Amino acid sequence: MHRTILVFGLIGITPLAVAGEDVSDTLEGAKKIGNSFKETLLSAIDVDFYKFTISTDRKNPDHDTSGNITVTLSQKAPPSLNPNSGWQIELYSEKNLAKTLYTAALPETSLEVKFEQGLSPGNYYFRVSSLDSVVFPAAEYTLARKWEENAYYERQPNDNPDDATAITPNETYYGNISSESDIDIYRFGLQAPDLVTISLSQKTPGIDSTLGWQVGLFSQPPQTVDVLSTALSGTLQANLDVGMHYLFVKPLPQPEEVSQDGDEVEAETAQKEEKTAPVGRTYQLVVNAPTAPPAQEDCPFTFTYAQNPLTNRWASFSTPCDVPVGWFSQQTAPETYEVCPSPHATYTLPKMDELGTITQQGRVKIPLLDFKDELGNVMVLRVELQEMPNTNPIQFTPDILKVIRTIEAE
């Protein structure tokens, strides 16, 4: 079930809409905002920067706080009659301030513009400026945002394999192309060779046949399928081996036009390529893998090893159901990676008094530790280790050993 969470930069007594002093025109002084803010541009060259943060869950690092943001830029009625005057809003990630994640325009002849974008945890910025370098809107604008925490949206920025959005086979994910040059990259894992079907679809087809998406696998040779915005869906099938695989969604490329002497008509092609991106149109993406294990409400006790797609670290889990969404998992321990006994293992530093005397030794807590004895019996243990004083390298001695669950060998 999806649950909607509004992310507040200002909480508690902060009202829904706040009007204040002129907003900083530099990124360093960007104003932290709540879910709605009102402001006015002071000139045609005035720029307003705003900052908001999508936080991680410190208490549960495996909790995916990614989701989808809906942004609305609006003004009060009545609208102006000057089509040259208006506002432009841009969304940036702190990871790449040289490239916008999304750009939208609101001329004064309209009342509002709205867009959506999937985002991962991190810091983000809005930049509001004038559409024209001479005339500017004197009216007050309202910038509002709504956040929905949902692990099934693309997570920008994801325009290169290192930042690919991790997805799980047989689950539906949502995304959109945010600019003419945008590319969305996803990755998924297979535990067995499979005939995979990749489907991209939309709920309502458009009317412009020059717009569309290209879906493809990073393979040799590359495998792609074109999906026009006038179609409901398109599919691509491929036989894939065990391991991690990457796919992309980008604007539909136009066929190259050739003149009578064989030269490419670069100018005409460039003009057509500007019209190929279905900017802002939401698509649905599914990677169907028949042999992938289905989601289960009651999973059997089976050692499962999974890789965190953000840190690339491996952890062991008691059942496949415990593996977080988007993690690549397998039943055998990885040979070339170190596996953490528990994704929640913690170490507490020693405590000292004002004179520097250690009053409490360091402590390791391992909430879940898998153990199998020589008879094949499996136990899940909770372990706490006490740091031994004056040891180099640091050594620990068991302090608490509690059996959480026992599965007897058949």
Side-chain angles (χ1 to χ4, degrees), residues 12-330:
I13 61 174
T14 305
L16 293 181
V18 181
E21 67 278 0
D22 181 44
V23 179
S24 172
D25 57 359
T26 65
L27 195 67
E28 294 75 12
K31 184 177 182 64
K32 292 185 178 181
I33 62 171
N35 64 318
S36 184
F37 194 87
K38 294 181 178 180
E39 190 52 75
T40 305
L41 293 178
L42 301 181
S43 69
I45 60 173
D46 187 24
V47 177
D48 294 342
F49 279 100
Y50 303 95
K51 179 180 181 179
F52 67 96
T53 300
I54 300 173
S55 301
T56 57
D57 189 339
R58 296 182 179 179
K59 294 183 178 180
N60 182 9
D62 297 329
H63 174 204
D64 186 356
T65 59
S66 301
N68 188 59
I69 191 171
T70 301
V71 182
T72 304
L73 185 66
S74 63
Q75 64 167 331
K76 290 184 177 180
S80 168
L81 300 178
N82 185 355
N84 296 322
S85 180
W87 302 269
Q88 177 174 278
I89 181 171
E90 298 164 286
L91 173 62
Y92 291 87
S93 167
E94 191 174 61
K95 295 181 179 179
N96 186 1
L97 297 174
K99 182 180 179 180
T100 62
L101 297 179
Y102 207 107
T103 300
L106 174 64
E108 272 200 305
T109 53
S110 300
L111 290 178
E112 75 171 31
V113 64
K114 182 181 294 185
F115 67 88
E116 297 182 32
Q117 185 62 67
L119 299 175
S120 56
N123 294 320
Y124 297 90
Y125 297 89
F126 291 120
R127 181 182 186 270
V128 179
S129 59
S130 173
L131 282 176
D132 192 89
S133 61
V134 179
V135 297
F136 69 98
E140 184 180 61
Y141 68 82
T142 299
L143 174 58
R145 62 192 178 93
K146 182 177 69 173
W147 175 252
E148 178 188 1
E149 184 180 298
N150 188 331
Y152 294 94
Y153 280 94
E154 65 163 317
R155 301 156 199 174
Q156 287 279 9
N158 62 343
D159 55 359
N160 65 73
D162 290 339
D163 296 324
T165 298
I167 60 177
T168 301
N170 306 318
E171 299 285 350
T172 301
Y173 292 83
Y174 302 88
N176 66 69
I177 296 297
S178 57
S179 70
E180 304 293 338
S181 61
D182 187 25
I183 179 172
D184 298 336
I185 299 179
Y186 301 85
R187 62 179 174 180
F188 62 94
L190 294 179
Q191 301 179 31
D194 214 335
L195 175 60
V196 171
T197 302
I198 301 171
S199 300
L200 185 140
S201 62
Q202 58 177 330
K203 291 184 178 180
T204 305
I207 59 175
D208 191 344
S209 60
T210 67
L211 304 180
W213 304 269
Q214 185 177 81
V215 186
L217 282 164
F218 288 101
S219 57
Q220 295 297 329
Q223 304 176 67
T224 63
V225 63
D226 295 340
V227 184
L228 297 179
S229 66
T230 54
L232 280 174
S233 64
T235 59
L236 169 68
Q237 282 194 329
N239 286 295
L240 301 179
D241 292 328
V242 175
M244 193 71 69
H245 301 275
Y246 293 79
L247 65 90
F248 63 85
V249 179
K250 67 179 183 180
L252 179 71
Q254 286 287 343
E256 295 180 349
E257 293 191 8
V258 181
S259 64
Q260 293 182 354
D261 59 1
D263 295 330
E264 296 179 2
V265 185
E266 296 181 357
E268 294 182 11
T269 302
Q271 290 178 358
K272 289 195 173 184
E273 286 181 349
E274 291 179 355
K275 302 177 182 179
T276 64
V279 175
R281 183 179 288 273
T282 301
Y283 61 76
Q284 301 176 26
L285 183 67
V286 180
V287 176
N288 181 262
T291 64
Q296 302 179 29
E297 292 295 331
D298 185 17
C299 284
F301 185 88
T302 304
F303 287 141
T304 303
Y305 301 90
Q307 187 179 38
N308 187 321
L310 299 179
T311 65
N312 291 325
R313 295 185 62 183
W314 286 80
S316 63
F317 296 87
S318 300
T319 73
C321 293
D322 297 325
V323 177
V325 174
W327 286 37
F328 170 67
S329 62
Q330 60 188 42

Side-chain angles (χ1 to χ4, degrees), residues 344-380:
H344 307 295
T346 60
Y347 169 65
T348 303
L349 291 171
K351 294 184 179 180
M352 300 184 182
D353 58 19
E354 297 179 353
L355 300 178
T357 303
I358 295 178
T359 58
Q360 183 176 325
Q361 296 294 335
R363 196 173 188 83
V364 171
K365 295 182 180 180
I366 307 176
L368 296 176
L369 179 63
D370 303 326
F371 172 75
K372 180 183 290 187
D373 62 20
E374 64 276 4
L375 299 178
N377 300 313
V378 176
M379 289 184 290
V380 180

